[in-house]
């Protein structure tokens, strides 16, 4: 069994779901998740509200970057998820977004419909269950620029997180290599120099993977 976890305050989680520019929180928690424990009803309601805001923020940020067209729910979520993947140093292939959209299609269909009243002027539901993206060339250009900024911001933040991880817990180099191989099939050789100087040599390895298209 493996578990990946992070510790974050409730206040930061709420801000991350609503007002953070980068998609780090709201892109993850727009997807189905489960609350295993809450201290009390107030904490539970705050988390549920933040999860709801994550879905609204996710669609408000992603849909304007799509062209004006009628799309089904699977296509909308696939393409919006791809935007969020591009905003980080991701090892996942583009097919990962499609898989997530297909595996959670019933949930995404229900969530999109429930969120649609908050998306007036962005999405318009059609009789066939699809949605028309109410995007103009101007709003699309603006949205694309914002996602470019998120991409650069995300790369910097990802590098800083990886650097911090090497100083925070043991076997961080092995974990990073395992994650890359798990998602891409590419094996990263862990040299003595990489293990001894994980930050400096890790940047070199990351650049090589970016050139090969393994990381995007």
């Amino acid at each position: 069994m493996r578990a990946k976890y992070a510790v974050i305050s409730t206040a930061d989680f709420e801000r991350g779901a609503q007002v953070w520019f980068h998609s780090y929180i709201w892109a993850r928690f727009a997807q189905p998740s489960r609350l295993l424990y809450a201290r009390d009803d107030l904490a539970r309601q705050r988390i549920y509200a933040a999860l709801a805001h994550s879905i609204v923020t996710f669609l408000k940020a992603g849909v304007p970057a799509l062209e004006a067209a009628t799309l089904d729910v699977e296509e909308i979520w696939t393409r919006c998820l791809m935007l969020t993947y591009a905003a980080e140093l991701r090892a996942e292939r583009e097919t990962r977004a499609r898989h997530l959209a297909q595996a959670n299609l019933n949930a995404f269909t229900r969530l999109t419909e429930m969120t649609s009243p908050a998306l007036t002027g962005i999405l318009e539901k059609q009789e066939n269950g699809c949605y028309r993206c109410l995007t103009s060339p101007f709003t699309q250009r603006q949205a694309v620029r914002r996602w470019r900024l998120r991409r650069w911001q995300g790369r910097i933040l990802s590098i800083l997180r990886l650097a911090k991880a090497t100083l925070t817990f043991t076997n961080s180099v092995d974990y990073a290599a395992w994650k890359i191989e798990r998602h891409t099939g590419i094996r990263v050789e862990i040299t003595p120099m990489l293990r001894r100087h994980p930050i400096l040599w890790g940047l070199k390895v990351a650049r090589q993977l970016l050139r090969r298209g393994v990381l995007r």
Side-chain angles (χ1 to χ4, degrees):
M1 297 291 290
R2 290 184 176 92
K4 180 180 179 181
Y5 70 92
V7 179
I8 184 173
S9 69
T10 305
D12 278 342
F13 185 73
E14 290 171 323
R15 285 191 290 268
Q18 298 182 58
V19 299
W20 279 8
F21 180 71
H22 197 266
S23 56
Y24 190 72
I25 294 295
W26 46 261
R28 281 168 170 77
F29 290 95
Q31 302 172 56
S33 60
R34 180 171 296 177
L35 181 61
L36 297 181
Y37 170 81
R39 180 178 57 195
D40 50 39
D41 287 339
L42 176 60
R44 182 180 294 105
Q45 292 306 316
R46 289 180 68 182
I47 296 300
Y48 285 159
L51 295 177
H53 280 295
S54 292
I55 302 165
V56 176
T57 307
F58 175 85
L59 292 173
K60 280 187 174 181
V63 172
L66 310 180
E67 73 276 5
T70 300
L71 305 173
D72 59 26
V73 173
E74 179 185 329
E75 189 65 22
I76 291 172
W77 279 81
T78 296
R79 294 174 66 176
C80 289
L81 285 170
M82 287 169 59
L83 287 170
T84 66
Y85 281 173
E88 297 183 38
L89 280 177
R90 304 294 297 196
E92 287 89 339
R93 298 183 178 92
E94 292 181 1
T95 53
R96 174 66 175 167
R98 179 72 62 183
H99 169 75
L100 285 174
Q102 292 174 346
N104 299 288
L105 185 56
N106 290 338
F108 289 157
T109 299
R110 184 176 67 255
L111 292 174
T112 304
E113 183 174 3
M114 294 175 65
T115 310
S116 58
L119 303 174
T120 303
I122 298 176
L123 276 181
E124 184 179 78
K125 188 176 181 181
Q126 307 297 293
E127 293 183 357
N128 60 359
C130 294
Y131 288 84
R132 188 160 67 94
C133 301
L134 306 176
T135 308
S136 68
F138 175 73
T139 57
Q140 186 181 23
R141 286 195 300 271
Q142 282 188 319
V144 170
R145 290 193 192 102
R146 286 193 291 269
W147 280 105
R148 286 174 182 165
L149 289 175
R150 288 188 184 99
R151 185 183 309 173
W152 284 106
Q153 180 190 20
R155 289 182 176 181
I156 294 171
L157 290 175
S158 295
I159 291 172
L160 291 175
R161 289 189 191 104
L162 287 173
K164 182 177 183 297
T166 63
L167 306 174
T168 303
F169 61 91
T170 58
N171 298 325
S172 57
V173 174
D174 302 84
Y175 168 75
W178 168 81
K179 185 174 178 64
I180 291 171
E181 184 175 1
R182 176 173 174 263
H183 287 292
T184 68
I186 303 297
R187 184 177 180 82
V188 177
E189 181 184 1
I190 302 177
T191 63
M193 288 297 293
L194 176 59
R195 197 176 293 281
R196 191 176 305 129
H197 306 287
I199 296 178
L200 293 177
W201 283 84
L203 292 174
K204 180 180 178 180
V205 171
R207 191 172 78 170
Q208 292 173 347
L209 294 175
L210 282 168
R211 286 180 175 178
R212 295 172 62 181
V214 176
L215 296 178
R216 292 177 294 277

